[in-house]
Amino acid sequence: MGGSKAYPYGSTTVVRGQVLAALGVLKLATADQMHRLMAPGHRDNKAFRNAALDLARHGLVVSEGSSRDGHKIWHLTPVGLDAAAEVLGRPVGEMGGTARGAARSGAPHAMAVNETIIAIIRTPPRRPAPCPARRSLPPPLPRPPAPCLPRRRNR
């Protein structure tokens, strides 16, 4: 493992903060989902697994189940929710709940929502197609003559 006494899995402060931020927004996620959302440039999700394990030692996150593909699902504890609120700079009252018990069933809906969020966030913006060339407009139609009104006679 090669970490310190406080963090035996060797996670860094930055990655632990990323795990808290991801779970503060998503509520529950696998290490792979947190990795793809927060640091897609890393070659694997080991740093996020280790950070989740270190945070679990401190009672900030917990894993109560696995996704359908066998990955541990992590979620915040009440203390972890406070820590995530601090990392995100938001009041705890705006953060929502801790998703307690949702991971026991594999949370298929939550996993699908997470995948949708990751796809939207990680999709590079497309350049819009150029506007088609303007065609010259036909000449305006002639206006019909104004109706003739009878003249009033002055008496």
Side-chain angles (χ1 to χ4, degrees):
M1 287 193 268
S4 66
K5 200 170 204 177
Y7 300 105
Y9 292 94
S11 64
T12 64
T13 304
V14 171
V15 179
R16 287 191 304 271
Q18 290 176 331
V19 167
L20 289 171
L23 292 176
V25 173
L26 299 177
K27 300 302 170 212
L28 57 130
T30 65
D32 182 60
Q33 288 174 332
M34 291 185 278
H35 159 251
R36 288 185 289 130
L37 180 66
M38 303 302 285
H42 283 187
R43 68 178 171 211
D44 62 18
N45 63 15
K46 184 173 182 167
F48 287 86
R49 287 192 320 261
N50 290 343
L53 290 167
D54 279 339
L55 290 170
R57 279 184 60 92
H58 292 275
L60 299 174
V61 300
V62 67
S63 176
E64 295 178 341
S66 298
S67 64
R68 290 189 174 165
D69 58 358
H71 294 98
K72 278 187 173 184
I73 298 175
W74 297 94
H75 69 87
L76 297 169
T77 63
V79 176
L81 186 63
D82 292 337
E86 190 174 319
V87 168
L88 292 169
R90 300 194 61 158
V92 177
E94 291 181 3
M95 295 287 294
T98 59
R100 190 178 66 210
R104 289 185 200 127
S105 65
H109 178 74
M111 296 296 104
V113 169
N114 291 353
E115 291 300 328
T116 302
I117 291 169
I118 292 166
I120 290 170
I121 298 289
R122 293 293 160 205
T123 302
R126 291 186 318 159
R127 292 184 68 182
C131 295
R134 288 189 174 206
R135 296 184 302 197
S136 59
L137 298 175
L141 296 173
R143 289 188 163 184
C148 295
L149 299 174
R151 285 190 169 181
R152 289 178 75 191
R153 290 186 183 175
N154 290 340
R155 290 190 183 172

